[in-house]
């Protein structure tokens, strides 16, 4: 019996009754030995091209079942046998509640859509916890979709989410935070920055599981983006766009209560997702939900930035093997476009717009696949800025050392003012290093001997000063010899230069302020006597700064 025939039978029942019949059938298969294995042969489609690793979780395919289908976690194993890549159970609340009055679920058959006003009907956290504990950890990722009780005021809503976070911390692979259902009075009022920031912050203290915020489609793109930015900056690991819509103008058959899902919201969901993805793609994991019922539609959402997609209404109109159908089609579309994996296709429509204010930035590319959040990207930017500051500081240190031999504040400022030109000289020396290396090293020897002469003057020992002058006079000669025999002399001069520099840096750091002033005067005299030696000294210092 094909599903079209089966659907005619199901559609004779009230929608909620039909859903219970389907649930009973799936649970019966679960209880039958070999039942799920037989179902999986028809329902599961596996292809390496569809696999992804997100939040350190392995997803066999990107198609998940959205919240509301399995409110009480009774169908997790059968849904996995039907080929879904992840399962979202709930939305459930801390305490059991019956939901809104019936009838509360309606089919819009000609539009392949439904309208629901269920109101978080569920058996409560205690019952669901016992049920999930029997199967967790599960073979595919499962998400706990959590909400607040209808009787809980918005002022106390945080306590409901915290209680569920504690109870299911070790019983799910990620959390989906539902503040966007239209069927709990005033719930959507919680979709504002201050509460979202407080909620995500509180949940981060309770659990290390990824937190995914699910938003409504009935807000402007600017509002949605601002709320997503707030959530990501507060620590959310993902965003789901979107829940059901209360835009009743989308269907002439819509009632004036409850939320619309299915084909009537396809365009609305696709457009809002694309607008949010232009700003958030590459900074968090994006999940698209709403009006997806084919491989082509799923593929468009993926190329627009969705790492995962979720379906609900398509299960009702396309049948229990809809996940397999979408996954088979996705694999064909990926190969037809030359992709080796689904990860290569995620956000491909945005990647070519990088740098225009849309989509992934170049410095965030590596963060997209593992779900790195906004703060990780900001940390990268901060590290880059720190490196730039460090480089600037290093150059400033060269100017500062040069300023220590100045006589007064005016001379120090003048030395610092010369720093840009000095830096240019360093670059020029670097480009001509090959030709001038031996010459600079020999001049370094002259500089070393000159500093020895200064120390001798400072100590007042005339004989030592005379010896230093003799050494200084000899240095140029050695420099000429070094020029004529670069290959032999340069290594020796280099070793002597390094030794002298290390020695002089140590001595310089030990000088008192008074000694530095005195040294400045003596250096001035030495400069007058030695002419070009001062420039040679600076050149050696620049070379040392570059090595450092």
């Amino acid at each position: 019996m094909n599903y079209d025939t089966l659907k005619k039978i199901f559609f004779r029942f009230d929608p909620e009754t039909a859903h219970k019949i389907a649930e009973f059938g799936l649970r019966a298969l679960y209880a039958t030995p070999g039942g799920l294995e037989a179902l999986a042969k028809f329902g599961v489609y596996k292809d390496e091209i569809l696999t992804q690793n997100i939040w350190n979780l392995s997803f066999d395919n990107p198609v998940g079942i959205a919240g509301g289908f399995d409110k009480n976690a009774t169908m997790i194993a059968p849904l996995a046998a039907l080929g879904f890549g992840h399962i979202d159970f709930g939305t459930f609340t801390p305490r059991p509640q019956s939901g809104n009055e019936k009838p509360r679920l309606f089919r819009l058959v000609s539009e392949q859509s439904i309208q629901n006003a269920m109101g978080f009907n569920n058996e409560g956290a205690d019952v669901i916890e016992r049920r999930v504990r029997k199967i967790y950890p599960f073979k595919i990722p499962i998400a706990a979709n959590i909400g607040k009780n209808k009787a809980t005021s918005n002022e106390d809503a945080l306590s409901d989410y915290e209680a569920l976070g504690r109870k299911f911390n070790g019983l799910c692979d990620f959390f989906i935070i539902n503040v966007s259902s239209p069927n709990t009075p005033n719930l959507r009022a919680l979709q504002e920055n201050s509460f979202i920031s407080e909620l995500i912050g509180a949940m981060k203290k309770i659990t290390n599981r990824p937190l995914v915020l699910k938003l409504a489609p009935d807000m402007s793109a600017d509002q949605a983006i601002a709320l997503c930015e707030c959530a990501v900056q507060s620590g959310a690991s993902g965003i789901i766009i979107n829940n059901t819509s209360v835009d009743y103008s989308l269907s002439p058959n819509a009632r004036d209560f409850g939320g619309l899902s299915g084909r009537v919201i396809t365009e609305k969901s696709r457009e809002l997702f694309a607008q949010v993805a232009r700003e958030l793609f590459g900074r968090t994991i994006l999940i698209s939900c709403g009006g997806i019922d084919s491989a082509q539609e799923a593929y468009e959402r993926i190329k627009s930035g969705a790492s995962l997609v979720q379906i609900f209404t398509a299960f009702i109109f396309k049948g229990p093997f809809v996940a397999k159908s979408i996954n088979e089609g996705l694999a064909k579309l990926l190969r037809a476009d030359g992709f080796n994996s689904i990860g290569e296709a995620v956000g491909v429509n945005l990647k070519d717009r990088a740098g225009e204010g849309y989509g992934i930035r170049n410095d965030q590319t590596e963060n997209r696949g593992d779900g790195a959040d906004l703060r990780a990207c900001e940390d990268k930017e901060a590290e880059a800025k720190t490196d730039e500051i460090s480089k600037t500081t290093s150059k400033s240190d060269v100017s500062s050392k040069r300023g220590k031999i100045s006589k007064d504040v005016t001379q120090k400022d003048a030395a610092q003012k010369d720093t840009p030109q000095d830096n240019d000289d360093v670059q020029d020396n670097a480009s001509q290093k090959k030709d001038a290396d031996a010459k600079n090293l020999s001049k370094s020897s002259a500089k070393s001997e000159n500093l020895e002469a200064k120390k001798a003057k400072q100590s007042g020992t005339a004989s030592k000063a005379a010896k230093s002058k003799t050494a200084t006079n000899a240095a140029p000669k050695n420099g000429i010899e070094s020029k004529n025999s670069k290959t032999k002399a340069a290594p020796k001069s280099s070793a002597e230069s390094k030794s002298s520099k290390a020695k002089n840096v140590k001595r310089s750091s030990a000088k008192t302020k008074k000694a530095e002033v005195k040294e400045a005067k003596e250096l001035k005299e030495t400069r007058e006597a030695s002419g070009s030696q001062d420039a040679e000294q600076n050149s050696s210092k620049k070379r040392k700064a570059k090595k450092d």
Side-chain angles (χ1 to χ4, degrees), residues 27-48:
R27 294 181 72 178
L29 274 172
Y30 184 30
T32 303
L36 291 187
E37 288 78 2
L39 184 62
K41 289 181 180 179
F42 294 98
V44 175
Y45 175 79
K46 285 199 172 184
D47 194 319
E48 192 67 26

Side-chain angles (χ1 to χ4, degrees), residues 241-449:
I241 303 290
N242 51 256
N243 209 320
T244 58
S245 174
V246 294
D247 183 358
Y248 305 132
S249 67
L250 295 172
S251 170
N253 302 310
R255 291 157 177 80
D256 60 356
F257 63 94
L260 293 166
S261 64
R263 283 192 179 177
V264 293
I265 69 165
T266 297
E267 187 175 347
K268 188 182 185 77
S269 298
R270 185 195 302 134
E271 179 58 28
L272 182 61
F273 179 82
Q275 290 175 307
V276 171
R278 287 186 187 113
E279 300 300 328
L280 273 293
F281 176 66
R283 296 159 58 190
T284 192
I285 293 298
L286 299 173
I287 303 172
S288 188
C289 181
I292 299 171
D293 64 357
S294 68
Q296 187 62 51
E297 186 62 36
Y299 191 43
E300 290 304 314
R301 307 289 179 97
I302 288 165
K303 290 192 294 182
S304 293
S307 295
L308 303 171
V309 296
Q310 292 187 339
I311 65 169
F312 182 117
T313 308
F315 191 104
I316 297 168
F317 287 95
K318 294 293 184 73
F321 299 123
V322 62
K324 179 180 181 180
S325 174
I326 292 175
N327 284 320
E328 280 182 326
L330 275 174
K332 290 177 182 177
L333 289 167
L334 288 165
R335 289 191 170 92
D337 285 346
F339 294 113
N340 296 311
S341 70
I342 189 171
E344 294 177 3
V346 174
V348 71
N349 289 349
L350 295 175
K351 290 176 183 177
D352 59 354
R353 301 182 69 175
E356 298 177 18
Y358 297 96
I360 193 165
R361 300 203 305 264
N362 291 333
D363 60 337
Q364 297 167 342
T365 303
E366 64 189 51
N367 292 328
R368 176 177 56 76
D370 58 14
D373 59 24
L374 176 63
R375 283 185 284 189
C377 300
E378 289 176 341
D379 288 344
K380 264 193 177 180
E381 292 171 356
E383 287 172 6
K385 288 179 181 177
T386 302
D387 290 341
E388 291 176 9
I389 292 170
S390 297
K391 289 177 183 177
T392 304
T393 305
S394 178
K395 291 179 180 179
S396 298
D397 288 342
V398 176
S399 292
S400 177
K401 288 178 182 178
R402 190 178 288 117
K404 283 184 179 180
I405 63 172
S406 301
K407 186 173 182 179
D408 51 32
V409 175
T410 304
Q411 289 174 314
K412 187 182 290 184
D413 291 340
Q416 291 172 345
K417 189 175 181 181
D418 288 338
T419 302
Q421 181 62 46
D422 293 334
N423 291 339
D424 290 339
D425 292 341
V426 172
Q427 292 174 355
D428 290 339
N429 288 337
S431 65
Q432 299 173 4
K433 185 176 182 297
K434 206 167 185 178
D435 297 330
D437 193 30
K439 182 178 178 180
N440 288 337
L441 288 172
S442 63
K443 288 180 180 179
S444 178
S445 295
K447 181 268 309 182
S448 299
E449 296 294 337

